[in-house]
Amino acid sequence: LGPGGGDGAGGGAGDDGGVAAAAVEARLLMHEAAMRAREEKACAGLLILAAYYGDVQAALAEAGEAADEEEVAVGPAAAGQARGWLDVRVALQFAVSRSSLRLPAGSKAGLRGFATVRPAPPTADGHRAPCELWLRYEIAGEVRTLCVEDAAPVLLGRASAARGAR
């Protein structure tokens, strides 16, 4: 099995089985992610407050941009799967190590707690929303937001601060 709990191929566009597997995996990661979040909070490290993958605009609209960790835990993932997005906060907090988050370049669909999401329906002009990763996080008491294209690498936290990023 691939890192996302599926066959590693992502299952194709709109793979509801892969999305369901990602939701199950997020529940399995929840305990460890909560422990890591407590550890990170205690040292003013990297705390993932909210994170969405797929049609970010739809996710934010549905969540009402309520980016506090209690309100947008794993629950919205099940609702979002039919709308083209996943709540990946738990998966990303689980991936935090020593106040840093590193995600490789390339699609995030194969990462633990992620899946290929159903493409957004086309807009009136025929365009589809891009697949993106949106995060709201806190580090050293400062809340920040990041939105990147699916294929872009992500480097957050202490490692990025050491490189002079902000």
Side-chain angles (χ1 to χ4, degrees):
L1 292 180
D7 63 5
D15 177 20
D16 291 337
V19 171
V24 167
E25 181 141 25
R27 284 191 290 279
L28 294 173
L29 300 176
M30 193 178 295
H31 178 71
E32 180 68 25
M35 286 180 23
R36 290 183 187 185
R38 283 190 294 275
E39 292 168 0
E40 292 293 325
K41 193 170 193 170
C43 70
L46 180 57
L47 188 62
I48 307 298
L49 302 174
Y52 302 110
Y53 175 71
D55 184 352
V56 168
Q57 295 307 313
L60 292 173
E62 187 161 322
E65 289 195 82
D68 75 282
E69 60 197 275
E70 288 80 29
E71 201 168 321
V72 287
V74 174
Q81 68 188 2
R83 294 176 186 84
W85 59 272
L86 292 172
D87 180 334
V88 293
R89 183 188 64 81
V90 169
L92 292 180
Q93 188 67 59
F94 179 83
V96 170
S97 176
R98 290 181 280 206
S99 299
S100 296
L101 175 66
R102 296 172 190 240
L103 301 178
S107 177
K108 310 302 179 264
L111 299 176
R112 291 188 78 180
F114 284 68
T116 301
V117 291
R118 182 183 316 272
T123 59
D125 62 3
H127 291 88
R128 290 188 188 271
C131 186
E132 298 173 313
L133 175 62
W134 179 94
L135 304 107
R136 180 162 291 152
Y137 62 99
E138 181 178 341
I139 188 156
E142 185 178 333
V143 175
R144 302 175 184 180
T145 303
L146 173 73
C147 186
V148 297
E149 293 180 3
D150 185 27
V154 174
L155 178 60
L156 297 177
R158 304 261 193 253
S160 65
R163 295 177 146 201
R166 182 152 159 80

